[in-house]
Amino acid sequence: MIVALELLPIFQWLGELLGGLGLPASWIDPIRYGALGVMMFGILAVVALFLVWWERKIAAHIQQRFGPMRHGWHGWYQTIMDAIKLLQKEDVRVATRDKAVFFWAPVVGFVAAFLAYIVIPWGDGLIVADLNIGILYIMAVTTFTVISLLMAGWGSHNKYALLGGMRSAAQVVSYEVPMVVSVLTVIIFVGSLSMVDIVKSQQGLIFNWFVFRLPMGPLAFLTFIVAATAEANRTPFDIPEAEQELVAGYNIEYSGMKFAMFFLAEFVNMFTVSAVAVTLFFGGWNGWEFVPSWIWFLFKTLLVVLLLMLFRWTYPRLRVDQLMEFAWKFLVPLTFANLIVAGIFKYLGWYW
Amino acid sequence: MAELRTEEFVVNMGPHHPSTHGVCRLMLTMDGEIVTKIEPVIGYLHRSIEKICENRTYAQCVPLMDRVEYVTAMSCGYMFAGAVEKLGGIEVPLRAQYLRTIMLELNRIASHLLFYGVTAMDIGAYTPFLYGLRERELIIDLFEETCGQRLTYNYIRIGGVSQDIRPDFVPKCREALNVISAKMSDYTGLLNENPIWIHRTKGVGVLPADLAKAYGVSGPNLRASGVNYDIRRNDPYLLYDKFDWNVAVRPNGDCFDRYMLRLDEIMQSIRIVTQALDGLPDGEIMAKGVTVNYKAPAGEVYHRVENSRGELGVYIQSDGGKKPVRVKIRGGSYNSLMVLPHFATNRMIADLVAIFATLDVIMPEVDR
Amino acid sequence: MTREELAAYATEKFAGRLTPLATGKYDPLFLVNDAGDLLAVARALKEDPKLQLEYLCNAGAIDTGKIDPPDKRFEIHYSVASLQLSLRLDLKVVLPAGKPEVESLQPVWPAADWFEREFWELFGIHVRNHNHLGQFLLPDDWNQGFPMRKDWDAPDFVRMPEK
């Protein structure tokens, strides 16, 4: 099932090089995979850095100001400077913290954010591992972030952080249901959970993509994107980090590199849910053939990320109980109704 | 089986907190998410202005008054100058009164624009903050050209104003007002119909009118609860009874009404300033015979002004000497904060943040 | 009614309990003859149908510094208003220097709550029947007396030179 590795010429060359050096065969694959992991990590780090910069510029232009302008052309390496600054900061640790929990919370969050990228299809043949439970794996792994939020809240020994952690746990768990059901609505028509199969079944241009092809596609996309905004803890659902209420919520006691890990994990999560939305609804890497497939994927994902950013800088924040009410009393019935309609359509064959 | 016992815990909101405007400490007793008891603890910004004033001559007290409520420093300066003028029976020239009215109303507009930005930001919408401040800059620039200061103006003196406006003040002011009234539709369009905004502010934090009157709440908070009382109309000072304007009143007393009422007041203030600019006469800007060593005759007076936060009043007792015997200042936020524990309990902390933001409390008035 | 009519009406209605004072330069100012009568006068002012003074604007204590005679040292000045009838009236109470005490006006005007806390904390005027006298504006560990009194001194209190 490891499709990508063979097709990607670099890894083929690396395999031949290592073989030529006389390494035993059982060592070549781990080293190749290790190199692949490092490369993925590098790509994602660059993506996260780009997203942070982009968010600041978008926010600034919505608010009629400029954003970062000093470090580089229009501040392009501002984020690198911020990362260096955070690295130099003193790691302030509360004396009464729960040491193990406090330490491992950002690690868990960071790892959970990156684990999803094993099955994200970046382009035609560009996927780390095309698991046949692809989308189910992503849904499972993205839930790990709530563990890290709870750990952060508990380990900080701070009432505000604990409140933030508990609220976020409630929020993420509540919005899992509409998100998964929206995904299911599309999966019914694909017949397989593998990400590559999902993209392949949307081959072609716009009107083959699920959001336009299926009658319940637009609604499923809307419910998915709303639930995904809540999963990624973004405004209007950013209660866990509501500065004005709980002074940064769960990550209030974190400074320096630990804080940077939470921060980057949030942006990586945002990219993950956008990538999933693009894969499911907008045809993944499909587009006109004269542009490479990974450019299409990046372009579409960044458009969805732009949508999430516009949400953040336009809408006020929902109160916690209103948020829960919205999830359980509105989104869940709506998505289930959508699913039932999708099931009926599939059974009667009213799709192409 | 053991009973599940939940405990109430005490959380301190502030003094360092992004959404208690200024250094206000609220000790909240919380039962989960619900706030059951609020106790405001104040005094973090107590600068003993009243005691200092007992040790200064009347003219030396005037710049101190700007610091009483620095967001609307013009009103504070006028409050003190008006009180001393009542004590001494000073006749202020007409041009100075027009200028004072214009400056007070411009300051009200600036303060309400700041309120708009800060309230929206507290409830989670970050962008209106910059929109409000962008328009406020137009007014602050006018002030800077007139008196050199952006925040604590020291412009209104006993007997008049300190300097005359520049020749290009009037056209610039008219243009600024045009821009602001055009942008008002942007502000209301961004938030008013937004379901999230409506859920967060409509029906939230209703301040009943009789509770407001009992606790001395004044200004926009009182009018948003349906009480039609505005010191500019009921107990006129300066030239408010000569202009054609309406008192904005809203019936419900929830957060949405308090927020919309201040936007309504901006429109009314724009009317007042436009009329004042149209009728601005020439003349003196300072009363004759008022020097820097002015000694108010013996007597006592309480003079009050309709500030953008409520009734800003000063009680001065003079014994004919160089320094006042007592200066007691009363700010609108004092009473708003006093009534907060009586109507904002038994709701979630997010609502408390919304209520506190729409009450428009700023601490220098409370602590002095 | 105008200010003159208000002054005349209140003088006549409360003759013997309130004395009009000439030092009030704008709104009518009345001295409450007996400090113990203050609560009853306040209630009467609030309930009088032609006055309806239900709104307390301001309440401030004054230390006049007059130590001779000592029974007129402290004064408390209340500014009240009627919102429906647009009236304004001021009241004054004179308290002796020894152990100044005044009755809390919270039952009549709940707004007096925080104003009266300042009486105690800054002047040392005890307010009877107040539910929460204690630390208010000053720091928690304040032990240097009542700062707003004219005879209060502290090592770092600088008086401006008389010139």
Side-chain angles (χ1 to χ4, degrees):
Chain A
M1 248 168 306
I2 313 298
V3 177
L5 228 43
E6 325 298 43
L7 293 182
L8 208 47
I10 300 182
F11 286 94
Q12 270 186 304
W13 166 81
L14 188 63
E16 286 157 22
L17 176 69
L18 290 173
L21 284 178
L23 283 172
S26 59
W27 280 31
I28 295 183
D29 268 348
I31 295 182
R32 284 167 71 198
Y33 283 124
L36 180 61
V38 170
M39 185 182 88
M40 283 305 299
F41 183 80
I43 292 178
L44 284 173
V46 169
V47 162
L49 256 50
F50 169 74
L51 282 183
V52 173
W53 171 81
W54 205 38
E55 162 125 56
R56 288 174 70 164
K57 290 303 264 187
I58 301 246
H61 284 279
I62 292 178
Q63 295 169 355
Q64 293 223 311
R65 51 188 182 88
F66 284 116
M69 294 289 278
R70 284 181 190 269
H71 291 110
W73 178 84
H74 277 242
W76 69 265
Y77 63 87
Q78 174 75 39
T79 324
I80 303 178
M81 291 310 200
D82 284 342
I84 295 177
K85 176 201 81 168
L86 281 172
L87 272 172
Q88 294 172 352
K89 276 197 180 230
E90 179 189 346
D91 188 18
V92 177
R93 290 169 296 193
V94 186
T96 47
R97 73 191 187 282
D98 189 335
K99 294 191 175 46
V101 172
F102 188 82
F103 178 81
W104 287 103
V107 176
V108 168
F110 200 65
V111 166
F114 280 67
L115 270 180
Y117 284 87
I118 294 181
V119 292
I120 299 279
W122 293 79
D124 199 353
L126 298 172
I127 186 171
V128 173
D130 183 20
L131 304 177
N132 61 357
I133 50 158
I135 191 74
L136 177 63
Y137 169 79
I138 292 192
M139 295 290 117
V141 158
T142 50
T143 319
F144 271 125
T145 45
V146 74
I147 299 184
S148 91
L149 298 179
L150 276 173
M151 286 168 75
W154 177 260
S156 306
H157 195 87
N158 182 332
K159 283 175 230 186
Y160 284 136
L162 186 60
L163 270 180
M166 292 196 295
R167 282 166 155 183
S168 80
Q171 176 186 315
V172 171
V173 163
S174 306
Y175 280 88
E176 279 291 326
V177 176
M179 188 159 96
V180 171
V181 175
S182 312
V183 165
L184 271 181
T185 312
V186 167
I187 300 295
I188 290 183
F189 295 94
V190 176
S192 150
L193 289 172
S194 150
M195 296 288 264
V196 174
D197 286 349
I198 296 174
V199 177
K200 286 215 167 111
S201 65
Q202 296 175 70
Q203 222 143 28
L205 292 183
I206 294 191
F207 290 103
N208 285 338
W209 301 344
F210 282 134
V211 70
F212 299 112
R213 191 160 114 192
L214 303 174
M216 66 290 307
L219 185 59
F221 171 66
L222 280 175
T223 52
F224 179 82
I225 208 71
V226 170
T229 319
E231 288 287 310
N233 283 335
R234 306 259 317 162
T235 320
F237 306 106
D238 66 347
I239 299 289
E241 358 173 293
E243 285 165 10
Q244 277 72 34
E245 293 175 27
L246 293 184
V247 201
Y250 66 91
N251 54 13
I252 183 177
E253 295 286 356
Y254 284 91
S255 60
M257 207 55 213
K258 296 195 171 88
F259 174 74
M261 286 180 140
F262 275 121
F263 194 62
L264 285 180
E266 179 192 329
F267 280 88
V268 170
N269 262 331
M270 188 167 71
F271 195 79
T272 309
V273 298
S274 308
V276 170
V278 161
T279 307
L280 285 172
F281 295 100
F282 286 104
W285 70 69
N286 288 312
W288 282 318
E289 286 80 26
F290 56 85
V291 176
S293 59
W294 57 274
I295 291 189
W296 276 118
F297 175 80
L298 274 180
F299 173 70
K300 290 184 226 177
T301 311
L302 286 179
L303 275 183
V304 178
V305 168
L306 177 67
L307 186 67
L308 289 182
M309 289 184 183
L310 288 177
F311 283 169
R312 179 174 186 185
W313 299 105
T314 313
Y315 294 127
R317 191 180 300 124
L318 278 176
R319 207 173 64 200
V320 151
D321 62 324
Q322 290 165 349
L323 193 150
M324 304 296 279
E325 208 179 289
F326 178 68
W328 290 106
K329 291 194 192 169
F330 182 72
L331 271 189
V332 165
L334 185 67
T335 47
F336 271 105
N338 209 15
L339 180 67
I340 292 175
V341 168
I344 294 176
F345 271 52
K346 165 93 180 173
Y347 180 69
L348 295 175
W350 290 352
Y351 65 100
W352 78 93
Chain B
M1 180 165 103
E3 291 245 330
L4 187 64
R5 198 175 57 102
T6 55
E7 251 178 41
E8 294 192 338
F9 59 100
V10 175
V11 164
N12 230 343
M13 194 163 141
H16 303 277
H17 193 105
S19 85
T20 57
H21 307 133
V23 277
C24 173
R25 180 170 158 211
L26 296 176
M27 299 199 18
L28 310 173
T29 309
M30 296 184 63
D31 177 15
E33 277 276 327
I34 311 274
V35 177
T36 51
K37 192 165 110 125
I38 306 172
E39 192 191 317
V41 177
I42 64 173
Y44 290 93
L45 198 48
H46 179 63
R47 297 151 291 167
S48 60
I49 287 185
E50 298 169 355
K51 181 82 179 175
I52 295 176
C53 283
E54 290 178 12
N55 221 356
R56 303 278 184 280
T57 65
Y58 288 93
Q60 285 172 329
C61 285
V62 170
L64 272 181
M65 289 297 133
D66 287 337
R67 275 85 185 154
V68 164
E69 217 243 283
Y70 40 68
V71 180
T72 50
M74 291 283 186
S75 307
C76 305
Y78 169 66
M79 155 194 89
F80 188 80
V84 176
E85 284 154 15
K86 274 186 181 168
L87 270 180
I90 302 172
E91 186 77 35
V92 177
L94 195 60
R95 183 174 172 87
Q97 289 189 22
Y98 267 85
L99 286 178
R100 283 175 169 186
T101 312
I102 292 172
M103 293 303 171
L104 255 64
E105 289 306 306
L106 282 178
N107 212 344
R108 186 188 314 273
I109 298 174
S111 169
H112 284 330
L113 284 171
L114 178 67
F115 160 82
Y116 167 75
V118 171
T119 300
M121 192 163 79
D122 279 351
I123 298 184
Y126 299 102
T127 309
F129 181 63
L130 284 112
Y131 290 169
L133 288 195
R134 176 189 61 193
E135 265 67 68
R136 184 172 170 261
E137 279 295 306
L138 299 171
I139 299 180
I140 303 282
D141 283 344
L142 286 171
F143 286 149
E144 189 179 359
E145 286 185 8
T146 311
C147 58
Q149 276 282 358
R150 285 168 56 95
L151 195 66
T152 52
Y153 308 113
N154 195 11
Y155 179 66
I156 297 184
R157 300 289 165 79
I158 301 172
V161 295
S162 69
Q163 35 210 335
D164 209 338
I165 52 174
R166 288 169 155 245
D168 60 351
F169 179 90
V170 176
K172 272 195 183 169
C173 189
R174 285 193 210 273
E175 196 192 308
L177 293 178
N178 283 341
V179 168
I180 292 175
S181 47
K183 295 280 188 200
M184 289 299 288
S185 60
D186 273 357
Y187 300 157
T188 49
L190 180 57
L191 292 177
N192 280 25
E193 317 251 319
N194 190 322
I196 303 179
W197 184 261
I198 293 179
H199 271 212
R200 287 295 300 269
T201 53
K202 268 219 165 112
V204 169
V206 175
L207 175 61
D210 40 354
L211 193 69
K213 284 197 281 193
Y215 277 92
V217 175
S218 52
N221 295 330
L222 184 66
R223 288 196 286 281
S225 296
V227 179
N228 193 344
Y229 187 77
D230 186 326
I231 300 174
R232 293 175 288 174
R233 185 204 51 209
N234 291 55
D235 196 1
Y237 54 95
L238 285 180
L239 298 165
Y240 289 104
D241 45 355
K242 295 197 175 44
F243 297 132
D244 174 31
W245 59 283
N246 298 328
V247 174
V249 179
R250 291 229 162 208
N252 293 325
D254 56 5
C255 287
F256 186 80
D257 275 0
R258 285 193 282 271
Y259 145 81
M260 257 330 276
L261 186 104
R262 289 182 171 89
L263 295 182
D264 293 341
E265 279 196 0
I266 294 181
M267 298 308 292
Q268 296 303 321
S269 292
I270 293 179
R271 280 174 75 181
I272 299 176
V273 179
T274 317
Q275 289 170 51
L277 288 173
D278 287 339
L280 185 62
D282 295 320
E284 296 288 318
I285 54 165
M286 192 67 173
K288 292 261 185 309
V290 178
T291 64
V292 81
N293 294 322
Y294 183 72
K295 288 198 287 197
E300 42 197 309
V301 71
Y302 175 70
H303 180 58
R304 55 200 193 134
V305 168
E306 177 78 24
N307 195 16
S308 48
R309 275 160 196 89
E311 174 182 324
L312 182 62
V314 68
Y315 163 76
I316 302 184
Q317 183 182 85
S318 157
D319 60 357
K322 276 199 280 211
K323 304 180 182 176
V325 171
R326 175 76 162 111
V327 174
K328 167 83 170 80
I329 304 164
R330 176 256 205 236
S333 310
Y334 193 69
N335 296 67
S336 304
L337 200 50
M338 205 196 299
V339 80
L340 183 72
H342 298 274
F343 80 100
T345 50
N346 289 325
R347 50 187 89 250
M348 315 190 87
I349 192 171
D351 282 343
L352 177 65
V353 172
I355 295 171
F356 198 78
T358 50
L359 280 180
D360 203 11
V361 169
I362 67 160
M363 293 316 288
E365 267 191 320
V366 178
D367 291 340
R368 289 157 279 130
Chain C
M1 41 170 117
T2 66
R3 284 196 299 276
E4 292 77 21
E5 288 171 10
L6 172 62
Y9 176 77
T11 313
E12 189 207 319
K13 185 87 188 295
F14 292 90
R17 298 167 86 183
L18 293 180
T19 317
L21 289 179
T23 50
K25 286 294 177 182
Y26 194 67
D27 293 299
L29 173 64
F30 289 94
L31 172 70
V32 180
N33 292 338
D34 178 12
D37 195 23
L38 179 61
L39 187 58
V41 166
R43 201 164 267 136
L45 283 172
K46 180 175 174 182
E47 288 160 6
D48 187 305
K50 291 188 85 172
L51 294 177
Q52 289 181 36
L53 294 166
E54 86 283 22
Y55 187 84
L56 179 70
C57 297
N58 189 20
I62 305 129
D63 179 1
T64 53
K66 294 189 197 137
I67 45 177
D68 183 27
D71 59 337
K72 287 192 194 304
R73 179 169 171 193
F74 291 105
E75 296 172 354
I76 302 187
H77 178 273
Y78 298 93
S79 298
V80 294
S82 164
L83 299 186
Q84 287 101 299
L85 307 176
S86 297
L87 300 174
R88 273 264 305 116
L89 190 93
D90 289 347
L91 286 178
K92 201 149 122 171
V93 172
V94 171
L95 300 174
K99 260 191 76 168
E101 271 196 350
V102 74
E103 185 76 26
S104 171
L105 292 181
Q106 275 186 290
V108 177
W109 296 308
D113 184 356
W114 280 18
F115 293 114
E116 288 167 354
R117 288 173 78 174
E118 278 185 42
F119 295 170
W120 166 249
E121 200 188 25
L122 299 175
F123 287 88
I125 298 174
H126 182 67
V127 181
R128 290 190 293 266
N129 298 327
H130 192 280
N131 52 5
H132 197 170
L133 283 185
Q135 185 273 332
F136 188 51
L137 281 176
L138 298 174
D140 291 347
D141 53 354
W142 182 262
N143 57 358
Q144 298 177 39
F146 301 115
M148 289 291 286
R149 291 192 173 187
K150 295 286 190 201
D151 57 355
W152 178 80
D153 212 348
D156 48 359
F157 180 49
V158 176
R159 290 181 199 276
M160 295 288 280
E162 300 281 334
K163 59 166 163 58

